[in-house]
Amino acid sequence: VLSGHIDTVPTGTLPWTRDPFGGEVEGNRLYGRGSNDMKAGVAINLFIMEALEKMGLRLAGDVVFESVVDEEFGGVNGTLAGRVRGHNGDAAVITEPSFLRVCPGHRGGRTVHITLRASGGIFEEGKFPSGVMDQLRHFLNSLKDFEEHRRKTAPEHELFGRSADPVPVSITKVHTSPWGTNEPITVPETCKIEMYWQLMPGETQEAVEREFFDWFNGMVDASPDLFTTKPEVTFPIRWLPGGMSPNPGPLVSGLRTCAAKVLGSQPAIAGLDGPCDMYIFHQLGIPAVLWGPSGGNTHGADEYLDIDTAVAAAKALLLFVCDWCGAVS
């Protein structure tokens, strides 16, 4: 199975210097939203199918090409639908941008939205109001405790042994009040925080969320004068587990051997530093790896693909498909 998702994240409000849907090429880079994540990977898979046909190659085994949706925001229902409908194989390659690494595993991810609330305004009897800012300061200062706990308790995994921080914790958004002089100068009454942290393969939703709530509720309960209103916690995106391919040996070794013929040396074996839909294959017992090109600014403004790496990834994958499925002519 050659799989890839065609959906992308939104263009966002960050300033693009190029048309996000223009497909502009400058030097070795192709710019555009989704160019790297992961329309290039879908194009590689489509190239494989076209090349097999145009070269008149017959295979002893079947190749399934699928383009799925609902990956970027964690639904993975497109990938799941393909499996439920029976479009399966004895192996799968998902052409995410792996930076020419063979990735039989990937991290998981959890996203939480936290809303802080307090009285605001500008004048208050006896003291200047702080609104939610004291709560926000306390939350950010306490975050290091959760980060340290994650690093100590998360299981080690060989695919991520070289990572400086194998289970990073990030604050991805902080929003208080509208910006500009058209808005009144006031202390914000609400603050919305988006927090995202990554997980190792094998960690369960129950354990990961228990860790979070033990830390978060402990922080809030220890400062009742600060948190007079209990913060609201919601999970906007479904649980995304980490994944590790079952019996990846033959798939990994075969793909590395083919890639070495193109690259001149065997590519690294590593874990992808983020969640994706590959775990669906893993949970059904289908060996699967990530293999794809390089690029940059992924999910950001001026996302781009390194074209030469896409060509190399496509050549290596074509060799692998012919080897795995048994090209007979």
Side-chain angles (χ1 to χ4, degrees), residues 199-222:
L199 330 162
M200 285 289 101
E203 292 195 85
T204 66
Q205 179 179 359
E206 179 184 10
V208 168
E209 291 183 0
R210 183 174 60 248
E211 278 188 327
F212 167 76
F213 280 113
D214 284 349
W215 164 76
F216 185 79
N217 291 334
M219 175 198 66
V220 172
D221 294 344

Side-chain angles (χ1 to χ4, degrees), residues 176-191:
T176 54
S177 51
W179 183 263
T181 55
N182 288 331
E183 299 292 333
I185 297 176
T186 183
V187 175
E189 298 180 2
T190 63
C191 177

Side-chain angles (χ1 to χ4, degrees), residues 231-291:
E232 178 185 341
V233 175
T234 59
F235 295 101
I237 297 175
R238 68 177 297 176
W239 156 255
L240 290 172
M244 179 62 196
S245 179
N247 189 28
L251 181 57
V252 170
S253 61
L255 183 53
R256 289 187 85 203
T257 298
C258 292
K261 295 177 182 178
V262 176
L263 303 176
S265 61
Q266 287 197 337
I269 303 173
L272 188 74
D273 303 323
C276 69
D277 57 353
M278 186 167 64
Y279 73 89
I280 293 291
F281 288 94
H282 296 164
Q283 290 182 354
L284 293 175
I286 300 174
V289 298
L290 305 166
W291 167 256

Side-chain angles (χ1 to χ4, degrees), residues 62-137:
D62 295 328
V63 181
V64 175
F65 162 65
E66 66 178 15
S67 172
V68 302
V69 296
D70 194 37
E71 192 272 350
E72 284 294 359
F73 287 93
V76 302
N77 288 303
T79 307
L80 179 59
R83 314 289 70 77
V84 171
R85 292 181 181 182
H87 306 311
N88 298 311
D90 56 0
V93 177
I94 303 175
T95 44
E96 286 274 12
S98 70
F99 292 77
L100 296 178
R101 302 174 301 170
V102 179
C103 300
H106 61 87
R107 289 174 179 161
R110 197 59 169 138
T111 302
V112 65
H113 285 178
I114 302 165
T115 302
L116 308 177
R117 290 187 173 88
S119 60
I122 191 70
F123 292 115
E124 185 174 296
E125 184 178 0
K127 66 175 183 178
F128 191 83
S130 62
V132 295
M133 301 316 294
D134 285 345
Q135 292 183 26
L136 177 61
R137 183 182 300 110

Side-chain angles (χ1 to χ4, degrees), residues 307-318:
I307 298 172
D308 59 355
T309 64
V311 173
K315 289 180 178 179
L317 187 55
L318 178 58

